[in-house]
Amino acid sequence: MIKSFFKTGRFRHYLNYLIIVVLLVVFSVMSLSGGMKSSSQYLLEKIAISMILAVSLSILVGFLGELSLGHAGFMCVGAYLGGKVSVLLSSLLGEGIVNLIISLIVGGICAAVCGIIVGLPALRLKGDYLAIVTLAFGEIVKSLFLNSSDASFGGALGLKTPRFDRNTLFIIAFILVLITLAVIQNVLASRHGRAVTAIRDSEIAARATGINVTEYKLLIFAMSAFFAGIAGVLFSFSNQNIQATKFGFNYSIEILVMVVLGGMGSINGSLIAAALITFLNVKLATVLTGNMAVLQNLIYALVLIIIVIYNNAPFLAAFREKYTLHNLWTKLFGHRAEHRRDDEKSWARIPTKINMDELLSVDTTPEDNRAVRLDGDKPDAPSASDKERSK
């Protein structure tokens, strides 16, 4: 059973889960044994948050085909409301896992409600107009929390939230990454996911086939906003102070860059791009300090330009096709030929196929209407007894 599981290629659907679990186990052992620095733990927290954000935006931009520039706004809602709940519950439940779970649920639900509210204009707006609406939503949310009172959400100084244990927070964050992947990939693999991609390809054709476009658009907007709110709550537990200025337009663009660089409609690509971009940002901010800090955005932009050129330049097409992870996997393990031989749906294994020479040798002329037999002799005339029998 396990052998057939690998031969048929079904393991590829679970490869991202396997890689994340293996890395999580390795990093967890290092962290719990004291062999990991706090800076590395903070980097893993940031990577997990970016993965959730990138995957949640990918279903909206890559699969539904709607351009959103307000993803940081949904994250801001989850961070502030979930962080406020954690502050209120810290005196009753402490700063443990129960507080975190309740805050995650509240922050995710509040962000999902905002996603439905923003999704309503999406029923009539598309393209640049929808991008402007989502951008305006993000700026409105940021302005509201920025100008709030000190007693409510901290105002310009920000909201102080409890700090979760750094040794275990990144473990919980990556578990939430796995949950996000499981929910989103199962939805996309179902008939609901096929309906969403049909809306992306042609909304008019989707309506003509009976797909409820309104329902699916609101569903995807709510789902995307929910997981963005989850990422916001993780952000509030990862930092001791939440400031609305961190959830501006530039952060929404950064999340969108993760989705675009990873490939539109590619969940695995969004995961890889989120990890690389977050790692690059954190390392540049760590290395370039003092007067060199002005070079951070310059180097970051140059790296992004190089990646875009590599992914889209026509003169690099042959190089990209030759040196891919799939080809490397095939050279190392040789699963391609084995998979083709053992594919039960391949043409070579279909028992009902007819060879071309057999098809050409079949005589389709009715027997009674044949003028000449295959040996060249004329057919015998029917006898009187045959005529009588036929009557």
Side-chain angles (χ1 to χ4, degrees):
M1 182 178 179
I2 298 178
K3 186 177 181 180
S4 62
F5 175 77
F6 283 96
K7 283 185 177 181
T8 54
R10 288 182 294 174
F11 73 97
R12 297 176 184 175
H13 300 290
Y14 306 96
L15 188 60
N16 48 9
Y17 298 98
L18 179 62
I19 294 175
I20 293 176
V21 168
V22 171
L23 293 177
L24 179 59
V25 170
V26 173
F27 291 140
S28 300
V29 172
M30 293 175 59
S31 177
L32 297 178
S33 62
M36 181 178 292
K37 298 180 180 179
S38 59
S39 59
S40 299
Q41 295 171 343
Y42 178 72
L43 175 61
L44 291 175
E45 293 171 6
K46 296 277 289 182
I47 289 176
I49 293 172
S50 297
M51 285 182 172
I52 297 175
L53 290 171
V55 173
S56 60
L57 183 61
S58 180
I59 62 172
L60 181 59
V61 177
F63 291 92
L64 185 60
E66 300 289 355
L67 180 59
S68 175
L69 297 179
H71 212 56
F74 300 122
M75 182 183 179
C76 183
V77 171
Y80 268 95
L81 297 182
K84 187 65 176 180
V85 170
S86 66
V87 172
L88 297 176
L89 293 178
S90 59
S91 59
L92 299 176
L93 302 176
E95 300 178 359
I97 188 65
V98 178
N99 189 347
L100 177 60
I101 293 175
I102 297 176
S103 302
L104 287 171
I105 295 174
V106 172
I109 293 176
C110 293
V113 172
C114 293
I116 295 175
I117 295 174
V118 176
L120 291 175
L123 303 177
R124 295 184 177 273
L125 299 177
K126 292 183 70 65
D128 300 337
Y129 299 100
L130 178 60
I132 293 173
V133 170
T134 55
L135 173 62
F137 166 78
E139 293 300 317
I140 290 172
V141 168
K142 184 184 74 172
S143 179
L144 288 176
F145 287 115
L146 186 62
N147 295 281
S148 61
S149 62
D150 295 339
S152 58
F153 295 103
L157 297 178
L159 177 65
K160 293 184 179 180
T161 56
R163 179 65 172 91
F164 202 81
D165 186 11
R166 196 178 292 276
N167 292 323
T168 56
L169 181 60
F170 77 91
I171 300 176
I172 299 174
F174 273 100
I175 292 175
L176 290 173
V177 171
L178 293 174
I179 295 175
T180 304
L181 280 176
V183 172
I184 292 178
Q185 290 193 157
N186 278 282
V187 169
L188 294 176
S190 64
R191 63 183 182 88
H192 304 292
R194 292 190 291 271
V196 169
T197 54
I199 295 173
R200 177 196 62 189
D201 296 336
S202 177
E203 184 174 332
I204 297 176
R207 291 182 184 274
T209 55
I211 296 176
N212 192 335
V213 177
T214 301
E215 177 183 342
Y216 281 109
K217 280 189 175 182
L218 292 179
L219 172 65
I220 295 302
F221 266 94
M223 184 182 299
S224 177
F226 176 82
F227 288 109
I230 294 293
V233 177
L234 288 175
F235 182 86
S236 69
F237 274 87
S238 178
N239 299 271
Q240 294 180 342
N241 188 28
I242 307 173
Q243 293 181 343
T245 54
K246 296 181 180 179
F247 305 99
F249 169 72
N250 291 331
Y251 196 34
S252 295
I253 294 297
E254 182 179 334
I255 303 170
L256 183 62
V257 167
M258 297 176 188
V259 177
V260 174
L261 288 184
M264 301 292 285
S266 174
I267 298 297
N268 295 335
S270 299
L271 291 173
I272 297 173
L276 291 179
I277 291 177
T278 305
F279 177 82
L280 180 64
N281 277 332
V282 173
K283 288 301 179 182
L284 287 177
T286 304
V287 175
L288 300 177
T289 58
N291 295 330
M292 299 294 291
V294 296
L295 298 177
Q296 178 182 351
N297 292 333
L298 177 62
I299 297 176
Y300 175 68
L302 289 175
V303 172
L304 292 182
I305 291 173
I306 293 173
I307 295 175
V308 170
I309 292 175
Y310 174 79
N311 289 333
N312 298 277
F315 63 90
L316 294 175
F319 181 84
R320 291 195 302 267
E321 293 178 0
K322 183 177 180 180
Y323 298 98
T324 60
L325 294 177
H326 178 70
N327 292 339
L328 178 62
W329 180 273
T330 303
K331 290 180 180 179
L332 293 177
F333 301 99
H335 281 297
R336 176 183 295 180
E338 186 177 5
H339 169 63
R340 288 181 177 177
R341 286 196 306 268
D342 296 329
D343 188 5
E344 297 180 356
K345 297 181 180 180
S346 64
W347 177 253
R349 295 178 62 90
I350 296 178
T352 58
K353 71 169 187 172
I354 302 175
N355 294 325
M356 187 60 68
D357 53 351
E358 296 179 1
L359 180 62
L360 294 177
S361 64
V362 174
D363 191 354
T364 58
T365 305
E367 185 176 358
D368 294 339
N369 296 332
R370 291 181 184 177
V372 181
R373 293 184 180 276
L374 296 178
D375 56 1
D377 297 335
K378 293 183 179 181
D380 297 334
S383 61
S385 59
D386 293 337
K387 292 181 179 180
E388 193 68 27
R389 191 180 305 110
S390 62
K391 292 180 180 181

